[in-house]
Each structure stands twice: as C-alpha cells, then as structure tokens.
Amino acid sequence: MTQSLITPTQTPLLGLSLAELTEWVQQQGQPAYRGKQLYQWIYQKGVRSLGDITVFSKQWRQEIADFPIGRSVIHHRSVAADATVKYLLQLSDGNIIETVGIPSYKRLTVCVSSQVGCPMACDFCATGKGGFTRNLEPYEIIDQVLTVQEDFERRVSHIVFMGMGEPLLNTKNVLAAVRSLNQDVGIGQRSITISTVGIRDRIRQLAQHKLQLTLAISLHASNQRLREHLVPSAKSYPLKDLIAECREYVKVTKRRISFEYILLAGFNDLPDHARELAKNLRGYQCHVNLIPYNPISEVDYQRPTEEQIKSFVNALEEQNIAVSIRYSRGLEADAACGQLRASRVTT
C-alpha cells in the first residue's frame, strides 16, 4: 500500500482517485469495498456530506460526518433569459468565486474559475479590476462542475477554464482537476478547454503532458503595441515569443490552438488589424475565435457594430484563417465575466 496522501485534518476528499479513497477508508478501519462506495457517492451522486452516505453504517457516518468532502455553498444564483446561470460560490474560507452554466440542446458547458480573482489585470476585464487573492485547490475547481451538474439535474458535457483567474499560474492544481474531471467525473479531455493570456514557458510545459484538451490563447491584439495596452504582462512576454511558444505547442501535441480575440470598437477591430493578425498566425494549425466586447463600467471600450465585425471576419477569411464569432451568453444575468461577483459581494 502506498503512503497516504491525506490525513483526517488535511485535504478534502473531492479530487482523490478510487485508489486513494480506498486507502482512506482502510485507514479509518473500514473494508476496502467502502472505497468504491465512497467514490460513487462523491462523483456520481454528488453527495455533500459523508453523513448522508446511507450505505455506510449509522455509527461510522456519525464518526466521519464532519470530515469535509470539499463542496461549496451557492451564495447567489442569477438566471438569464437564454437559461444561462451564473453562480457565486462561497468557499470554506469565505472567499467567493464565479461559475457559469451554459446550456444548449445537446450540451451543458461549465465555465470554471481557477483562482480567486486574477493577477493579470487585463485592461478590458472586470475580474482583473478586483485584484488577486489565491489559487484554487483541485477540489474547489471540481466542485464547480458538480454544482452546475446538480443544479441543472443534467450531465455536464464540456468545461472551459475561462472564469476568474489565469489557469497557467495555477498549473499544478488545474491539471490535477483536469485529471479528476476526466477520469472520475467522466468528461473527455477533448471536451475541456484551458484558456490562458500566456505565461512564459508554461505553454511549453503544458505541451509536455500531451493532453487532448483544447488550448485557447487570449490574444486580443494584432501587434505588440496594442497587446501591451491591453495585457500588462505583454511587456515582459512579447507577442512574438508567445506565438513562437504556441507553434512549439502545436508541433509537440498535434493539437490545434484557438486564439481568443475580443473586438474593441476603434481599437483593434479594423481590417488592417485582421490582416496583421493573419500574418502572425499563418502557417500552423489554429483558429480565431472573435468575441464582440461586452462593456463594463470601469473602462470606456465599446462594442463594434455588426458591420465592423463582418469586415474583420472577411479580412481574416481572405487570408485563409479559420474564424468564428462567439457571442457571450447570459448577458442579462450581469454583463461581463466577473461583474456578478462585483455586484453581489460586499466588503
């Protein structure tokens, strides 16, 4: 038997594998088959308290009732007209994070957070205006998916790491959560997307894991000058270096990269910007995902018109760049990512 990864005063159980949970129950003096029961109740039934696992004896349930599984509490829930649901989840230490459930006929996508707040301070982003508190633990990431699944009473099919935080500044915990979401919750790697603004050497390190997930790069600019204005970290990690690291990622993983590009009226949305962007991206597997800007009160950027959006798309297609437009869901619930938290959490 391997050395235990936990003790009753340490990490909650959510995120542990079947083997690790089996080891834990044996440490509690229980037979090994209890591990499979515990595993099923945590990942398939979404139990929130060990005291609620009715296949365990009443005496043992009472003994372990206070040991944490690692579930959050819904602090606030906001539903948009398109059925998108935004959640504020309260963690065990009182911190609040934002999670979004995005339903469609065939899919239920969860937009998860990887940090409490975000240290990147991107100029257009509501979350970045609130500062950074800490990284999320693997169980706090997995819990977001189980919470949405429970609330919708429907299996989650896709996960996007596009909520609060920079995932590649929390790589260890994010990858641990991805492992569990894939192997324990049962979501295919190809249905998981990790979005990053770009952290030097982290994309290269991620490539070594050769995962089948989708990597999305929050690019948002066609040249270094514009990117520095939007993304403070671009000063120390230039666009040319980011693009070079992305090319290495494609070569190692054989996986196409998606480039996220927020269209800001009069700033980065001209056909010349599109042609400049195409020049940077030409020659390897990639896809551009255009996101018309959703205004927030802290800055003065505006959303481009449909005609401006179409002109940008046409300019990219003329350069043979694969492109699509992503219109944000749930705008009525609270306009931009991070705004729900800002409007509902008081200090």
Side-chain angles (χ1 to χ4, degrees):
M1 184 180 297
T2 59
Q3 185 178 357
S4 176
L5 297 181
I6 60 171
T7 69
T9 58
Q10 294 180 325
T11 308
L13 299 177
L14 185 60
L16 297 186
S17 66
L18 173 58
E20 290 165 336
L21 289 173
T22 299
E23 181 181 347
W24 183 81
V25 300
Q26 289 178 303
Q27 287 184 335
Q28 312 307 309
Q30 297 293 312
Y33 72 86
R34 293 290 189 201
K36 186 173 183 180
Q37 292 176 328
L38 178 58
Y39 181 84
Q40 291 172 335
W41 277 75
I42 287 177
Y43 293 110
Q44 295 175 18
K45 296 180 180 292
V47 70
R48 290 179 168 272
S49 168
L50 294 181
D52 294 332
I53 303 180
T54 55
V55 293
F56 293 168
S57 70
K58 185 176 181 180
Q59 180 179 344
W60 193 43
R61 276 187 282 157
Q62 291 174 341
E63 292 174 1
I64 63 175
D66 293 334
F67 191 92
I69 288 177
R71 301 303 306 276
S72 65
V73 175
I74 296 178
H75 176 79
H76 182 78
R77 183 178 182 274
S78 182
V79 185
D82 62 8
T84 295
V85 182
K86 287 190 176 185
Y87 306 85
L88 295 184
L89 304 182
Q90 186 170 26
L91 308 178
S92 59
D93 63 359
N95 276 305
I96 300 289
I97 58 172
E98 184 172 312
T99 302
V100 184
I102 309 167
S104 66
Y105 176 68
K106 293 184 178 181
R107 294 183 174 188
L108 175 56
T109 300
V110 183
C111 179
V112 300
S113 296
S114 57
Q115 296 178 311
V116 181
C118 183
M120 302 310 293
C122 296
D123 194 49
F124 54 85
C125 179
T127 301
K129 305 298 181 184
F132 170 72
T133 302
R134 67 171 176 85
N135 286 333
L136 292 182
E137 296 295 327
Y139 71 88
E140 293 171 321
I141 298 171
I142 301 162
D143 164 74
Q144 297 173 60
V145 176
L146 296 184
T147 295
V148 173
Q149 193 161 266
E150 177 184 32
D151 191 53
F152 274 83
E153 297 183 340
R154 177 181 169 187
R155 287 281 297 171
V156 167
S157 61
H158 292 73
I159 298 168
V160 293
F161 283 80
M162 295 182 180
M164 298 166 61
E166 167 50 60
L168 295 192
L169 287 178
N170 189 20
T171 303
K172 180 180 177 181
N173 290 346
V174 165
L175 292 184
V178 166
R179 182 214 63 80
S180 182
L181 290 166
N182 175 225
Q183 298 180 16
D184 305 321
V185 181
I187 297 171
Q189 286 188 16
R190 289 177 180 264
S191 298
I192 299 175
T193 297
I194 291 180
S195 177
T196 176
V197 74
I199 307 297
R200 186 181 293 277
D201 294 328
R202 298 295 176 91
I203 295 171
R204 184 176 294 112
Q205 292 169 12
L206 182 63
Q208 299 308 310
H209 293 273
K210 296 185 179 180
L211 300 175
Q212 292 298 298
L213 51 74
T214 297
L215 177 64
I217 307 297
S218 295
L219 200 62
H220 308 316
S222 59
N223 60 56
Q224 179 65 16
R225 180 183 62 82
L226 293 180
R227 186 164 161 82
E228 283 188 15
H229 184 89
L230 296 175
V231 183
S233 63
K235 294 180 177 64
S236 59
Y237 186 33
L239 179 62
K240 63 180 180 61
D241 294 344
L242 171 60
I243 295 298
E245 201 168 330
C246 288
R247 291 183 187 276
E248 288 184 39
Y249 181 91
V250 171
K251 184 176 181 180
V252 171
T253 66
K254 306 297 190 292
R255 298 283 295 165
R256 185 178 75 168
I257 286 180
S258 177
F259 288 96
E260 309 285 315
Y261 193 102
I262 289 183
L263 288 169
L264 304 166
F267 182 82
N268 66 353
D269 66 333
L270 300 177
D272 282 348
H273 293 134
R275 286 184 280 271
E276 190 173 40
L277 176 64
K279 184 177 180 181
N280 282 320
L281 302 185
R282 191 175 294 115
Y284 72 111
Q285 291 178 290
C286 69
H287 171 267
V288 175
N289 201 0
L290 297 178
I291 309 165
Y293 178 65
N294 300 311
I296 63 174
S297 60
E298 291 90 342
V299 291
D300 294 328
Y301 296 118
Q302 299 298 317
R303 185 187 185 95
T305 65
E306 290 300 316
E307 184 177 350
Q308 289 169 321
I309 295 170
K310 184 176 180 181
S311 294
F312 197 94
V313 169
N314 290 341
L316 282 178
E317 290 180 336
E318 288 171 1
Q319 300 297 316
N320 298 313
I321 298 296
V323 57
S324 60
I325 304 172
R326 189 179 84 211
Y327 289 97
S328 296
R329 296 278 302 275
L331 296 184
E332 301 88 347
D334 272 336
C337 179
Q339 285 299 86
L340 181 63
R341 177 175 179 270
S343 65
R344 293 291 177 176
V345 178
T346 58
T347 56

